[in-house]
Amino acid sequence: MVAKAELHCHIEGAASPDLVLAQARRYGVDPSSFIRDGAYVWGDFTGFLAAYDAAAGLFRSEEDYAALAEDYLTGLARDGAVYSEIFISPDHAVKAGLSPDAYTDALGEGIARARAATGIEGRMIVTGIRHFGASSVEAAARFAVRCGHPLVTGFGMAGEERFGHPRDYAAAFDLAREAGLGITVHAGELAGWESVAAALDHIRPARIGHGVRAIENPDLVRRLAEEGVVLEVCPVSNVTLKVFADLASHPLPQLLAAGCRVTLNSDDPPHFHTSLAHEYAVAAEAFGLDDDALAGLTRTALEAAFLDEATRAMLLRRLGDKAVAPEA
Ligand SMILES: Nc1ncnc2[nH]cnc12
Ligand SMILES: [Zn+2]
């Protein structure tokens, strides 16, 4: 089994419908507007965000969040992952009635439980929500800077990419970068190549969430490759959200061939009927990547991880030992 690593997964988006149904029963909420027959129900990206928000609103206690993180990372480890970064959203926590500190501590507790049980390493990236506006994203950045949680190592931004302009958020990212946090930002998913170029110019990220519509502009692909900006590619998410019509038209192979640094990620796995293991299987079947190539994507993820160098070195050694681990 190929050792895996994930840099792009929204922890509220990783909650399975069954778990959310159990939370709905616990809190006496009718989830039938966004979960039917055991599956999330939405039509387009806006509908997806509404379902995402509704599910997130059913995680209201520290134990709810600790169990969610523990469950997700334990499952990843079972699928051969040695490392996981999760996007966390203080805005969603506050909407659900938790303080950002209690929320982050609870997720950190879940990560620690999964690590104790499986050895998987986990870190958290605090994200602002783009369509909540620049001041909200700046508040999230200030929280990320002051929270001091040892597993919070990055700052990012998700949400509606067609809202505002990257220049509106530059101050928030400058705050986070100057405090030593790793910088990633969603771009080039719902908006075109210009969105990626503007993100590079104004936010100066080490990594881009998705970035795949850069393929529309060969000069931009060259720039990404030359600058070594890592793409957190989520193939099944992109096809499910109709960013590309099907896997055959997904540009991951072309981006790799152009020298871009690419990683594999599940984004919001149950919403897109995927998992990190499925993303690796898709990369093998649809993109023709062999085990060595897949191990190379894992290596890129570990090299791009928002991690201290000692932990990075340990994980790269572990990857080297089990790049193509014997079948478990
Ligand atoms: N794929 C995605 N794009 C933007 N924001 C998100 N939040 C959760 N998943 C997202
Ligand atoms: Zn995402």
Side-chain angles (χ1 to χ4, degrees), residues 19-154:
L19 175 57
V20 173
L21 286 171
Q23 296 293 113
R25 280 192 295 275
R26 173 177 302 170
Y27 294 117
V29 168
D30 172 8
S32 58
S33 64
F34 64 98
I35 294 180
R36 276 200 289 282
D37 303 326
Y40 287 116
V41 175
W42 47 265
D44 57 10
F45 183 74
T46 305
F48 155 71
L49 282 184
Y52 179 101
D53 289 352
L58 291 169
F59 291 83
R60 299 179 179 173
S61 73
E62 289 162 88
E63 185 46 37
D64 288 347
Y65 272 106
L68 175 58
E70 177 185 9
D71 178 64
Y72 185 63
L73 267 71
T74 304
L76 276 185
R78 207 174 23 246
D79 284 347
V82 295
Y83 185 66
S84 159
E85 281 178 18
I86 55 174
F87 288 128
I88 71 172
S89 166
D91 292 291
H92 279 98
V94 168
K95 275 171 77 176
L98 267 182
S99 76
D101 293 280
Y103 165 77
T104 306
D105 290 345
L107 288 169
E109 166 64 21
I111 292 171
R113 290 180 196 166
R115 183 175 186 272
T118 69
I120 188 170
E121 281 290 344
R123 296 296 183 275
M124 294 181 270
I125 303 171
V126 172
T127 56
I129 306 299
R130 183 164 175 158
H131 54 275
F132 288 178
S135 54
S136 166
V137 172
E138 191 162 322
R142 290 189 190 285
F143 168 71
V145 169
R146 73 153 182 78
C147 83
H149 195 289
L151 299 185
V152 168
T153 56

Side-chain angles (χ1 to χ4, degrees), residues 130 161 165-166 185-205 207-217 220-221 223-224 227 229-231 255:
R130 183 164 175 158
E161 182 184 347
H165 185 280
V185 63
H186 281 59
E189 177 194 23
L190 297 163
W193 68 269
E194 302 88 344
S195 167
V196 178
L200 293 178
D201 293 341
H202 295 277
I203 294 175
R204 294 182 284 125
R207 303 181 341 212
I208 296 251
H210 301 286
V212 287
R213 288 187 56 185
I215 201 69
E216 298 161 1
N217 180 326
L220 179 58
V221 172
R223 177 182 177 188
L224 286 167
E227 295 182 11
V229 177
V230 173
L231 302 182
L255 292 164

Side-chain angles (χ1 to χ4, degrees), residues 164-327:
H165 185 280
R167 72 170 72 84
D168 306 332
Y169 305 93
F173 281 92
D174 290 347
L175 273 172
R177 189 185 308 100
E178 280 148 29
L181 292 171
I183 301 298
T184 177
V185 63
H186 281 59
E189 177 194 23
L190 297 163
W193 68 269
E194 302 88 344
S195 167
V196 178
L200 293 178
D201 293 341
H202 295 277
I203 294 175
R204 294 182 284 125
R207 303 181 341 212
I208 296 251
H210 301 286
V212 287
R213 288 187 56 185
I215 201 69
E216 298 161 1
N217 180 326
D219 292 337
L220 179 58
V221 172
R222 238 186 316 280
R223 177 182 177 188
L224 286 167
E226 283 163 7
E227 295 182 11
V229 177
V230 173
L231 302 182
E232 303 158 359
V233 180
C234 313
V236 176
S237 166
N238 293 156
V239 171
T240 312
L241 285 171
K242 301 185 173 47
V243 176
F244 300 103
D246 50 36
L247 288 170
S249 40
H250 195 284
L252 187 147
Q254 292 93 308
L255 292 164
L256 266 179
C260 290
R261 298 172 71 198
V262 166
T263 65
L264 285 172
N265 306 274
S266 65
D267 204 6
D268 306 276
H271 286 272
F272 306 134
H273 308 289
T274 188
S275 65
L276 183 62
H278 183 60
E279 299 294 342
Y280 273 73
V282 158
E285 288 147 30
F287 305 142
L289 301 189
D290 64 15
D291 280 353
D292 282 346
L294 292 172
L297 301 188
T298 304
R299 180 167 290 103
T300 298
L302 295 178
E303 289 165 350
F306 297 150
L307 262 180
D308 62 277
E309 291 314 316
T311 306
R312 188 190 320 283
M314 180 274 288
L315 289 171
L316 284 168
R317 273 196 306 280
R318 199 186 292 180
L319 175 62
D321 299 346
K322 54 185 285 189
V324 183
E327 285 307 315

